Amino acid sequence: MWWKFGGERAPGGMPHYMELGARVSDGWSPGGSAKVALRDPSKPTEDPMTDERMALVELLQKSGDSDFLRAVAEAVLQILMEADVEGLIGAGRHERSAERLNYRNGYRDRSLDTRLGPLSLRIPKLRQGSYFPPFLEPRKTAEKALVTVIQEAWIGGVSTRRVDELVQAMGLSGISKSQVSKLCKDIDERVSAFLDRPIDGEWPYLWLDATYLKVRDGGRIVSVAAIIAVAVTTEGRREIIGLGLGPSEAEPFWSTFLKSLVKRGLKGVKLVISDAHDGLRHAITRVLGATWQRCRVHWMRNALAHVPKGQHTMVAAAIRQAFLQPDAEAAQQTWRHVADQLRPRWPKLGTLMDDSEHDVLAYLAFPAQHRTKLHSTNPLERLNKEVKRRADVVGIFPNEASITRLIGAVLLEQNDEWLLQCRYMQIEGMAELTPLLIDADPAKLPPMAA
């Protein structure tokens, strides 16, 4: 294929021709005309690409100077695809042939990003089988790599704007929030397998904590509670065993979440540590039959709310005297003594201490080696901060599925790190939770054990 630029002719009356792909000479100006020297269409020809060449001519004549090279690239690639498809089919467009192997079935649009900019291509479709142009094959690998980069960046807490800048730096046109969300749906399968895995063995300690996130619901922005469950095995290993989403913290929600953990195999829970969520205590008693430990840190904040700010240090130091006692009995005595001292000045604080004594000091009935990690939900604080950091990047989630995707991926990564670390609790203290079989009454042993 040859191109003629301008109206000048070489000696002998022949026009100047330029092969497709050659550089345009400096003598050609943007205002000059661009014509294609082709055979006379009225004359018969055996060239099967005549129609495509005419389409190329018309396209180039309609294109502006700024889109000239892009239009040429699009037209050439389209001609290559059409010729390739004709070879696969065994016949040209609208051609009757006994050697035909297949039929055309329309087109599908595809954008190809190049140095000239995005090229709009129409990839031919076949009735039987499929066709994909070979010159696009290398881009498949690049797309997969890009998707992986976007997924890792999004889960890692990179904002959508930063992801968009990253995509543009790689030479593409950018990416929207919805595109990021669609690309990250590939993570769902991995997250679902993690959150729905069976829970084997016994888990004496269970921590529960709620993080509130914003999500769109029917055109409104509502707050949902994301419940994270962390437990420790009898071998002292810590794992994340569940994630639940709910509109409130009423007892039905907590009961449903705890029942889902039991259904997956959770058993042997002896102590549940959490904040004073509404309905949680009843759900723990009804579903797990375990002791409840009210988070000591959250309780202290509630207690100091009844005291003037200038007295916070003194009152907190007095209450902490109960936490320094070696056993539950001494701690209860100190607790009541401090409550009686504070009651005259702050009656509401005294009433709070009376009502919450057993809940705040419940951890003292468990092995001393474990108490520093049982009295509050502080072991979850670092995890909660990481969850909030990732959630703040998103701001408002489009739906609950996107919350499960992102938070679940964060929990999966954290759980893998915990499994590689040392034991979270001393295994020697676990022996105190269950009496040894050799010390039990042989008459009460199960038949198999006896």
Side-chain angles (χ1 to χ4, degrees):
M1 185 180 297
W2 299 85
W3 304 88
K4 183 188 74 173
F5 297 94
E8 299 180 359
R9 291 178 176 269
M14 297 299 293
H16 291 290
Y17 291 98
M18 179 175 290
E19 186 179 1
L20 179 62
R23 183 181 298 274
V24 180
S25 64
D26 297 335
W28 179 76
S29 63
S33 60
K35 297 183 180 180
V36 181
L38 298 173
R39 295 182 181 180
D40 187 351
S42 61
K43 295 181 180 180
T45 179
E46 299 298 330
D47 189 354
M49 299 179 65
T50 301
D51 294 339
E52 285 78 4
R53 289 178 177 176
M54 293 303 299
L56 175 60
V57 174
E58 296 176 359
L59 179 62
L60 295 180
Q61 289 177 344
K62 295 179 181 179
S63 301
D65 296 332
S66 60
D67 298 331
F68 178 76
L69 294 178
R70 187 185 307 172
V72 170
E74 289 179 350
V76 170
L77 292 178
Q78 197 67 42
I79 291 175
L80 292 176
M81 289 189 292
E82 297 292 346
D84 197 12
V85 168
E86 286 185 6
L88 294 175
I89 293 177
R93 183 184 295 276
H94 309 302
E95 179 183 355
R96 297 180 180 273
S97 174
E99 300 178 355
R100 177 183 290 274
L101 303 175
N102 205 338
Y103 291 87
R104 294 174 177 268
N105 191 28
Y107 295 87
R108 57 188 175 95
D109 296 331
R110 174 68 183 265
S111 177
L112 174 63
D113 294 300
T114 67
R115 294 181 179 179
L116 300 176
L119 305 182
S120 299
L121 304 179
R122 302 178 69 227
I123 301 178
K125 297 168 61 177
L126 305 178
R127 288 188 183 180
Q128 298 177 357
S130 61
Y131 167 73
F132 194 85
F135 57 82
L136 289 181
E137 287 292 338
R139 187 172 178 247
K140 286 185 174 180
T141 304
E143 284 183 346
K144 293 179 181 179
L146 177 60
V147 169
T148 302
V149 171
I150 294 172
Q151 290 176 348
E152 294 299 330
W154 192 65
I155 294 175
V158 181
S159 65
T160 304
R161 179 173 59 85
R162 294 294 185 183
V163 173
D164 181 68
E165 293 176 356
L166 173 64
V167 172
Q168 293 185 20
M170 297 176 70
L172 303 183
S173 59
I175 191 166
S176 65
K177 290 184 178 181
S178 59
Q179 288 174 317
V180 172
S181 181
K182 290 179 181 179
L183 290 174
C184 291
K185 284 185 178 180
D186 295 338
I187 308 170
D188 289 349
E189 183 177 351
R190 209 165 31 125
V191 172
S192 298
F194 167 67
L195 296 178
D196 297 333
R197 73 190 189 280
I199 304 175
D200 301 323
E202 294 192 352
W203 307 74
Y205 302 131
L206 174 66
W207 288 263
L208 298 173
D209 202 6
T211 300
Y212 292 90
L213 308 173
K214 299 292 185 180
V215 64
R216 297 186 184 277
D217 182 17
R220 300 181 301 116
I221 299 176
V222 299
S223 180
V224 298
I227 309 301
I228 300 175
V230 174
V232 169
T233 67
T234 53
E235 297 180 353
R237 299 288 183 182
R238 177 175 53 162
E239 291 189 32
I240 300 170
I241 62 172
L243 171 65
L245 302 179
S248 66
E249 297 179 12
E251 182 179 347
F253 167 65
W254 283 108
S255 298
T256 302
F257 177 67
L258 294 179
K259 288 179 181 178
S260 67
L261 298 180
V262 173
K263 186 176 181 180
R264 288 169 48 207
L266 179 64
K267 61 181 180 179
V269 179
K270 299 183 180 300
L271 181 67
V272 179
I273 307 97
S274 74
D275 193 9
H277 300 291
D278 297 337
L280 174 59
R281 184 174 184 177
H282 299 289
I284 293 173
T285 303
R286 180 174 302 179
V287 179
L288 300 177
T291 303
W292 176 52
Q293 166 65 41
R294 183 171 180 176
C295 176
R296 200 172 76 181
V297 175
H298 289 85
W299 180 89
M300 184 67 76
R301 295 172 186 168
N302 297 335
L304 296 180
H306 300 294
V307 179
K309 189 173 182 180
Q311 303 295 327
H312 282 189
T313 303
M314 183 271 293
V315 172
I319 296 175
R320 289 195 183 98
Q321 294 301 315
F323 303 146
L324 299 177
Q325 303 307 312
D327 53 53
E329 183 178 356
Q332 291 172 357
Q333 293 178 358
T334 304
W335 182 276
R336 294 166 188 168
H337 178 69
V338 173
D340 292 337
Q341 287 184 326
L342 300 177
R343 196 185 317 275
R345 295 187 61 182
W346 302 289
K348 291 184 178 180
L349 175 58
T351 303
L352 175 63
M353 294 184 67
D354 293 339
D355 296 339
S356 57
E357 174 185 342
H358 297 289
D359 300 331
V360 179
L361 301 179
Y363 73 99
L364 292 171
F366 291 83
Q369 299 98 318
H370 302 162
R371 291 175 186 173
T372 56
K373 298 176 180 178
L374 295 179
H375 60 69
S376 70
T377 57
N378 276 357
L380 288 179
E381 287 301 314
R382 182 178 179 182
L383 178 60
N384 286 337
K385 288 181 180 179
E386 186 64 16
V387 169
K388 290 294 293 183
R389 184 182 73 84
R390 310 290 180 90
D392 290 342
V393 170
V394 179
I396 301 174
F397 288 86
N399 48 51
E400 291 189 359
S402 61
I403 297 179
T404 302
R405 182 181 308 125
L406 177 59
I407 305 304
V410 173
L411 299 182
L412 174 59
E413 292 180 354
Q414 183 61 67
N415 192 74
D416 290 343
E417 292 184 10
W418 285 352
L419 292 178
L420 298 177
Q421 295 175 358
C422 299
R423 286 189 177 91
Y424 182 67
M425 285 187 170
Q426 296 181 7
I427 195 172
E428 294 80 7
M430 295 296 177
E432 301 180 23
L433 295 175
T434 304
L436 297 176
L437 290 177
I438 58 175
D439 295 335
D441 186 355
K444 297 181 180 180
L445 291 176
M448 292 297 294

